[in-house]
Amino acid sequence: TSGILLLGSGLTLMALFAWWLIAHALKPLDAMADTAGAIASGDLSQRVTDADDETEVGRLGGALNVMLGQIEESFAAQKASEAKLRRFL
């Protein structure tokens, strides 16, 4: 019975460590989701916090920031073009 208790305790500790490790690894994705929510609300100046470029999540964050910069520039160019057109008319 002590072996079963020891095995159960070991499995519980391993499960808790795995849960902590997964939660820690997913924090950058959670932050990206929060940033995406702010952007969806109309705040195009938001950017994903820099993460480690050596990870897939970090590379995704960098790519999203580049894409967001291009979108923000496109909207700014469109607004400038519309303002020029209004002044012309």
Side-chain angles (χ1 to χ4, degrees), residues 44 69-87:
L44 293 177
Q70 292 173 346
I71 290 171
E72 193 172 21
E73 287 175 13
S74 294
F75 277 121
Q78 180 183 4
K79 283 183 182 181
S81 177
E82 288 172 357
K84 246 187 209 182
L85 184 59
R86 281 192 197 100
R87 283 193 307 268

Side-chain angles (χ1 to χ4, degrees), residues 42-62:
D43 185 1
L44 293 177
S45 67
Q46 291 287 318
R47 295 293 181 267
V48 175
T49 55
D50 291 337
D52 184 9
D53 288 339
E54 298 296 318
T55 65
E56 289 86 0
V57 173
R59 289 193 299 274
L60 175 63

Side-chain angles (χ1 to χ4, degrees), residues 20-43:
W20 175 83
L21 191 62
I22 290 169
H24 182 72
L26 292 178
K27 276 185 183 182
L29 289 176
D30 194 33
M32 284 184 196
D34 291 342
T35 303
I39 293 165
S41 297
D43 185 1

